[in-house]
Amino acid sequence: MKLKISKTKQEVALNFSRYLAILIASKDTVHIALSGGSTPKIVFDELAANFQEDIDWKGVHLYWGDERCVVPTNADSNYKMTDEHLISKIQIPKKNIHRIKGENDSEYEARRYAELLIKKLPRLEGIPRFDLVILGMGDDGHTASIFPHEIALWHSPRLCEVAIHPDSGQKRVSITGQVINQAKAVAFLVTGENKADKLDEILNKKGDFEKYPASLVAPQSANLVWFLDAAAAAKIKTNQS
Ligand code: 6PG
């Protein structure tokens, strides 16, 4: 596990974009699961504004780790956010975009997306293997759309599950723990002081840290990087940067 702590959110975006550019340059075909949330939005803006020359998107396939069950034109849609901030601004073939269809019946979509992952991705031990899964962490310790009150979904034998947001009751389709932990690499993007307490518990293994889904992220490849800003990392004791 590696920590990459940057001073500001903007620097997190820059450092992650550099990491992504190197990863994409290393292979002809790269399968990446994206996340929703505020930090990816800044990253997408950085990629669109400053990495046009550095990244050839032709061999990149984009998927989502989770999606809100809404139509793709809804303001809540992770696809919509990604389209506005990244996809519409880069040269990527349409056939490389594999969105979770939030407008479909959620149970149907969880099954359909699982089949799509089986079809499109290389597999290890029968489980689809992303080159990179990008994750955020909520201030309640959730990741993808696996929330603490439904932590059992993390351990599901299925590749995708239907989750319910604890406050809004909104349905989400999310990949499960076995898919996340089978990835060749996992990168967390976490910024802001409201994340500091949970990061302290999870990274310093304090108290009931195991009740937070984000604490269960432990790829078999051991290739896990936490991209944090100083505010989020305020309570972590480390010499790394
Ligand atoms: C989503 C996410 C979710 C997100 C976290 C962190 O669709 O909401 O994929 O897991 O990454 O809630 O979001 P922020 O970066 O906005 O804090």
Side-chain angles (χ1 to χ4, degrees):
M1 195 266 272
K2 266 180 74 175
L3 293 178
K4 181 79 190 160
I5 301 171
S6 313
K7 282 203 194 76
T8 61
K9 288 180 192 199
Q10 208 48 54
E11 264 183 53
V12 170
L14 177 61
N15 285 323
F16 178 76
S17 297
R18 287 181 176 147
Y19 164 92
L20 190 69
I22 292 168
L23 183 104
I24 290 173
S26 72
K27 285 186 73 185
D28 291 341
T29 305
V30 185
H31 300 278
I32 300 173
L34 302 171
S35 150
S38 56
T39 315
K41 196 188 280 183
I42 311 174
V43 166
F44 297 157
D45 288 339
E46 175 71 26
L47 286 167
N50 298 321
F51 281 76
Q52 295 284 359
E53 311 279 287
D54 305 281
I55 299 182
D56 180 355
W57 294 95
K58 274 199 300 293
V60 180
H61 287 255
L62 297 178
Y63 304 79
W64 276 261
D66 68 324
E67 180 59 283
R68 294 91 184 266
C69 294
V70 294
V71 295
T73 48
N74 187 295
D76 273 356
S77 163
N78 283 340
Y79 168 76
K80 178 182 162 75
M81 186 278 277
T82 315
D83 187 39
E84 287 176 356
H85 291 263
L86 183 69
I87 298 171
S88 62
K89 302 187 173 167
I90 56 174
Q91 304 299 316
I92 185 166
K94 268 214 165 69
K95 66 173 177 41
N96 292 13
I97 310 295
H98 311 281
R99 73 179 178 91
I100 299 175
K101 295 185 176 169
E103 67 273 33
N104 283 348
D105 171 75
S106 51
E107 275 300 333
Y108 167 83
E109 184 59 14
R111 284 194 302 275
R112 186 196 71 87
Y113 207 64
E115 281 164 23
L116 180 140
L117 297 183
I118 292 272
K119 209 168 98 194
K120 301 278 181 197
L121 295 177
R123 272 168 277 158
L124 183 66
E125 295 153 354
I127 299 167
R129 193 164 202 220
F130 284 107
D131 292 292
L132 174 67
V133 172
I134 301 172
L135 295 172
M137 183 189 80
D139 47 18
D140 60 355
H142 82 260
T143 195
S145 277
I146 311 285
F147 296 90
H149 76 292
E150 292 182 326
I151 199 162
L153 294 181
W154 177 272
H155 305 285
S156 168
R158 298 171 66 189
L159 303 176
C160 299
E161 282 283 2
V162 178
I164 310 273
H165 188 281
D167 303 323
S168 64
Q170 183 185 56
K171 284 188 183 171
R172 312 267 183 103
V173 171
S174 181
I175 57 172
T176 57
Q178 56 172 337
V179 181
I180 293 171
N181 282 341
Q182 193 69 291
K184 285 193 188 152
V186 178
F188 265 110
L189 296 173
V190 185
T191 60
E193 61 186 359
N194 57 326
K195 309 289 170 72
D197 285 329
K198 287 292 178 300
L199 282 175
D200 174 33
E201 286 181 72
I202 291 171
L203 294 175
N204 295 323
K205 299 199 185 323
K206 281 188 181 167
D208 287 338
F209 70 96
E210 282 162 316
K211 68 181 184 211
Y212 307 126
S215 76
L216 302 174
V217 176
Q220 281 190 43
S221 64
N223 191 347
L224 169 63
V225 189
W226 290 81
F227 289 87
L228 309 174
D229 69 349
K235 299 187 174 169
I236 299 166
K237 292 172 205 69
T238 172
N239 298 322
Q240 299 184 63
S241 65

